[in-house]
Amino acid sequence: NLSFLEKKDCVGKLSGKDDIISLTSHSAHHTLRKKLEKYSILDESQCEAFASIFFEDSCLIQGPPGTGKSFVGAQCVVALLENFQEMGPIVVVSYTNHALDQFLLLLYNLLT
């Protein structure tokens, strides 16, 4: 369920049983990315980073200041927590303490 990412005018487009994408499907990464681009609040590069977390063992989100790295990272953690009952640890690494603080604050606000 990715309804927390929906644009206000797209309520219900990213949630529900019909929108669950098989993680074993060869085209699932592309399908999820396109669905996110159409219905979510994320931009194109953010959609690519977000979709990658479901199909890769590890994911690196990088970019210049102000491009939404902390925002996307926090959204990714929320999606993993809400969609998978059993998973290993989530490791978050940042270059500065300030970036980590901002990430954790965003995550806290999303989860409370």
Side-chain angles (χ1 to χ4, degrees), residues 32-97:
L32 176 58
R33 185 171 48 84
K34 288 299 179 188
K35 204 168 237 205
L36 286 167
E37 286 174 10
K38 186 171 182 179
Y39 299 120
S40 79
I41 57 175
L42 305 176
D43 68 25
E44 187 176 334
S45 62
Q46 291 171 334
C47 289
E48 177 62 33
F50 186 91
S52 294
I53 66 159
F54 292 104
F55 302 96
E56 304 294 334
D57 290 334
S58 61
C59 184
L60 172 67
I61 299 173
Q62 63 181 3
T67 56
K69 297 176 298 294
S70 296
F71 175 76
V72 172
Q75 299 290 344
C76 290
V77 171
V78 170
L80 289 171
L81 293 173
E82 289 188 356
N83 290 285
F84 295 98
Q85 298 299 321
E86 295 180 25
M87 80 178 142
I90 299 171
V91 178
V92 176
V93 178
S94 73
Y95 187 69
T96 65
N97 289 337

Side-chain angles (χ1 to χ4, degrees), residues 70-71 74 97-109:
S70 296
F71 175 76
N97 289 337
H98 176 74
L100 182 60
D101 290 344
Q102 181 159 351
F103 171 82
L104 292 173
L105 182 60
L106 282 166
L107 185 59
Y108 176 79
N109 288 332

Side-chain angles (χ1 to χ4, degrees), residues 6-47:
E6 290 174 334
K7 293 178 186 174
K8 289 183 181 180
D9 60 341
C10 295
V11 174
K13 299 291 186 180
L14 291 174
S15 59
K17 277 197 305 191
D18 297 337
D19 290 324
I20 296 174
I21 298 170
S22 169
L23 297 182
T24 60
S25 168
H26 180 57
S27 63
H29 182 270
H30 176 75
T31 303
L32 176 58
R33 185 171 48 84
K34 288 299 179 188
K35 204 168 237 205
L36 286 167
E37 286 174 10
K38 186 171 182 179
Y39 299 120
S40 79
I41 57 175
L42 305 176
D43 68 25
E44 187 176 334
S45 62
Q46 291 171 334
C47 289

